[in-house]
Amino acid sequence: MSIPRTEAALARATEAANRGPHSAPPDGHPRSRHLAIGDPQADITRFFALLDRHGLLGPDGRLLPEVQLVSVGDHFDWGKAHERDAVATSALRLLAWMASHPADQAVLLLGNHDLGRVGELSGFTDARFAAAQVEADRIYQGDDTDEVQERDFLSRYPEVPNVELVARDFGTFREVQRDWVAYLLRAGRFRVAHAAAEDLLVLHAGVTREDLLTAGVPDSLQARAPVVADTLNRVLDTAVAAWKQGPFSIPGLHHPGNATYGEGRGIFYQRASLRPEDAAHRTATPRRRFDPHRLPPGLVQVVGHTRDKRSRELLALPLEDMRDGVLRHLVTHGTSLHYRPGTPPPTGPGEAVLVFTDGGMRESPLELFELFDLDTRAPARPHEATHQGGQE
């Protein structure tokens, strides 16, 4: 890792965050390297170390001109309670650094944690959230959370579905993050999906046939990634144009949670599940679980959102082979299903594929964390040994 390059990137990130919400327009520069990176829920220094390890940073602290980087979303929330202030600052700097690059170079996709800033937390000030968090920290005890105390909490904070969201899930919220997310939504910088090839789609959590029908993509076009991406992004833009105040939602596809509705649902929250107890959650959009057999055949979806342990739990698979850092894949013919580490073998038009990129960036050993090369459809090869500009 080059210390000069990462320090230059940190300085660029601080400068971008201090400038306030902004977005660089596309520059039309041809890119020869195209990569996707899983949920960047880790300290910004670690994020830059990963980029540098793969030869993506230039000596000026920006992405090299020939690089396109697609972030699958979830730019906020990780760490312990005592780290919240540092995490909030780190996450904002990371998002600002990405947004300071041309829009066709650093592609920002939405995750549920990003949307939470304009969803469940849309009405909170910093002071009110801090007061709510003091209570939530006291009440939240995992599965042992006191239901009476939680109901009392929700009677005063009905915008959220539970105390866990305030104490843990969206626990590093700050108003300035909401300002950035709202700006990037209205500027058209945040996207739902990115088409990397005719059959290769990048997005946060994955979509099923039913989700695409809800969005307006007929069965005959659901294997065409550019059509799917354009449609999902148009649906987003329509929802943004209609959004004046209050929690942001996308009819039929994304509904933030609250005390009455329960936890948020939709294409940014949902996960593949085969557990019988999740059957009721798989029935209609928007939802929190989906049947992976209902993925659109012929389409390869590159997603984040779900780490290996959680995937194995939901797919009722053994946990002993669980691994952080590595890419994983799921392939289904509509009846059979295979889930394995690594990238998928060549597949046919009758097969649906998910490639999982969320390797637990914060917890995984740096040398094990894999980026997905959208050109070769394989793990990106580290370039440290040959990367120019700064000492290794």
Side-chain angles (χ1 to χ4, degrees):
M1 182 183 75
S2 163
I3 294 176
R5 284 193 296 268
T6 56
E7 286 185 344
L10 288 168
R12 289 276 189 181
T14 299
E15 177 185 348
N18 289 341
R19 180 180 167 187
H22 64 280
S23 174
D27 67 0
H29 192 286
R31 320 284 178 200
S32 59
R33 300 179 64 194
H34 307 84
L35 301 104
I37 189 167
D39 305 36
Q41 291 175 307
D43 184 79
I44 190 171
T45 303
R46 188 173 184 80
F47 176 80
F48 286 147
L50 276 169
L51 299 190
D52 195 52
R53 183 171 184 268
H54 286 83
L56 307 183
L57 287 180
D60 60 353
R62 298 175 62 82
L63 291 171
L64 290 169
E66 66 269 22
V67 171
Q68 181 189 67
L69 183 67
V70 183
S71 169
V72 303
D74 276 359
H75 300 86
F76 305 103
D77 303 317
W78 68 90
K80 305 296 183 182
H82 70 273
E83 300 175 290
R84 285 169 178 160
D85 287 340
V87 168
T89 300
S90 173
L92 189 69
R93 292 167 71 199
L94 191 156
L95 182 63
W97 182 84
M98 290 285 289
S100 71
H101 287 78
D104 53 354
Q105 181 178 31
V107 179
L108 288 169
L109 300 181
L110 284 162
N112 56 302
H113 287 261
D114 307 311
L115 285 167
R117 271 62 195 163
V118 294
E120 291 89 341
L121 305 178
S122 63
F124 279 89
T125 63
D126 284 342
R128 186 164 177 261
F129 184 78
Q133 194 165 61
V134 169
E135 288 193 58
D137 285 345
R138 175 178 54 81
I139 298 169
Y140 178 62
Q141 300 294 329
D143 292 339
D144 296 323
T145 298
D146 186 280
E147 294 182 6
V148 174
Q149 294 184 55
E150 184 169 46
R151 283 197 298 271
D152 177 64
F153 176 90
L154 294 177
S155 71
R156 287 174 287 110
Y157 300 103
E159 308 98 314
V160 299
N162 49 48
V163 295
E164 182 179 11
L165 183 140
V166 176
R168 191 181 74 88
D169 292 347
F170 294 172
T172 63
F173 167 73
R174 301 292 184 270
E175 286 181 69
V176 66
Q177 299 167 356
R178 182 174 61 221
D179 295 342
W180 272 87
V181 172
Y183 176 87
L184 294 173
L185 279 170
R186 297 192 188 283
R189 184 63 185 268
F190 260 135
R191 302 282 78 193
V192 177
H194 171 75
E198 184 65 25
D199 65 335
L200 188 61
L201 185 75
V202 190
L203 70 172
H204 184 62
V207 287
T208 66
R209 302 180 206 178
E210 290 76 22
D211 297 321
L212 294 182
L213 288 172
T214 298
V217 183
D219 287 327
S220 60
L221 297 177
Q222 290 186 2
R224 295 182 58 187
V227 173
V228 172
D230 287 348
T231 302
L232 291 173
N233 291 331
R234 282 200 308 271
V235 170
L236 171 68
D237 291 339
T238 299
V240 169
W243 174 50
K244 306 306 178 185
Q245 61 182 359
F248 174 73
S249 64
I250 305 175
L253 294 177
H254 168 69
H255 196 299
N258 58 52
T260 302
Y261 184 77
E263 293 183 296
R265 305 173 200 169
I267 62 172
F268 305 97
Y269 288 98
Q270 65 186 6
R271 292 182 167 100
S273 175
L274 295 176
R275 298 192 308 183
E277 59 266 37
D278 285 336
H281 301 294
R282 297 193 295 256
T283 54
T285 60
R287 57 197 164 194
R288 291 187 65 83
R289 301 287 182 261
F290 66 86
D291 182 347
H293 297 109
R294 299 300 300 166
L295 292 166
L299 186 65
V300 179
Q301 300 185 58
V302 180
V303 301
H305 189 50
T306 310
R307 290 169 63 175
D308 191 21
K309 180 181 178 181
R310 190 63 173 140
S311 290
R312 290 175 179 277
E313 290 172 343
L314 293 173
L315 297 173
L317 296 172
L319 298 181
E320 54 263 26
D321 295 327
M322 178 195 70
R323 297 171 62 189
D324 273 334
V326 300
L327 299 169
R328 298 157 282 128
H329 69 272
L330 180 155
V331 178
T332 177
H333 299 77
T335 52
S336 63
L337 183 147
H338 304 283
Y339 174 85
R340 296 187 176 94
T343 51
T347 54
E351 296 170 303
V353 181
L354 292 179
V355 178
F356 297 89
T357 64
D358 184 2
M361 188 181 294
R362 185 171 183 266
E363 292 81 7
S364 169
L366 195 68
E367 66 274 12
L368 297 183
F369 192 92
E370 296 178 335
L371 278 60
F372 185 67
D373 188 319
L374 295 166
D375 300 311
T376 64
R377 305 195 183 194
R381 296 181 59 188
H383 283 212
E384 271 190 322
T386 58
H387 189 49
Q388 298 178 353
Q391 67 187 65
E392 303 302 339

